[in-house]
Amino acid sequence: MTPLDKTVKRALKIKGREYVVALSPQNVKLTLKGHRNGVDLKWTDLINGDAALATALQASLGRFAEEKQPAHTNKKPRRKARR
């Protein structure tokens, strides 16, 4: 077998959305294509059985929500301070 000594990235499509899976010696990470943040799972958590808890926690945060709403602010523009 070939040892995993550096990060290997592969593209995949799930339900019409494009993702990148990265396998490294420390973890496996799944991100939306073109984004940096995603679901990260350490190999030690997978071996220790903590994977289900870590995955459920990250899923509850909605990492891959179907539609992200833009931050909407109703703030008025700032005025310059009077002297």
Side-chain angles (χ1 to χ4, degrees):
M1 283 196 203
T2 304
L4 183 61
D5 56 356
K6 62 181 181 176
T7 302
V8 177
K9 292 184 178 181
R10 296 292 183 262
L12 63 132
K13 197 177 252 189
I14 302 170
K15 294 184 180 181
R17 297 180 81 181
E18 293 185 5
Y19 294 88
V20 174
V21 63
L23 301 170
S24 75
Q26 296 81 24
N27 58 14
V28 59
K29 185 174 184 179
L30 182 67
T31 58
L32 280 168
K33 189 171 183 178
H35 292 77
R36 292 183 185 184
N37 298 329
V39 178
D40 190 10
L41 180 60
K42 294 179 184 176
W43 295 116
T44 54
D45 291 343
L46 182 64
I47 298 299
N48 293 334
D50 296 334
L53 179 60
T55 303
L57 176 61
Q58 290 183 0
S60 70
L61 298 175
R63 294 281 183 173
F64 300 118
E66 289 297 322
E67 294 292 325
K68 287 192 174 188
Q69 299 297 327
H72 219 63
T73 59
N74 292 329
K75 293 182 181 178
K76 295 179 181 177
R78 286 185 167 183
R79 287 195 216 171
K80 291 185 178 180
R82 291 185 180 179
R83 295 184 187 197

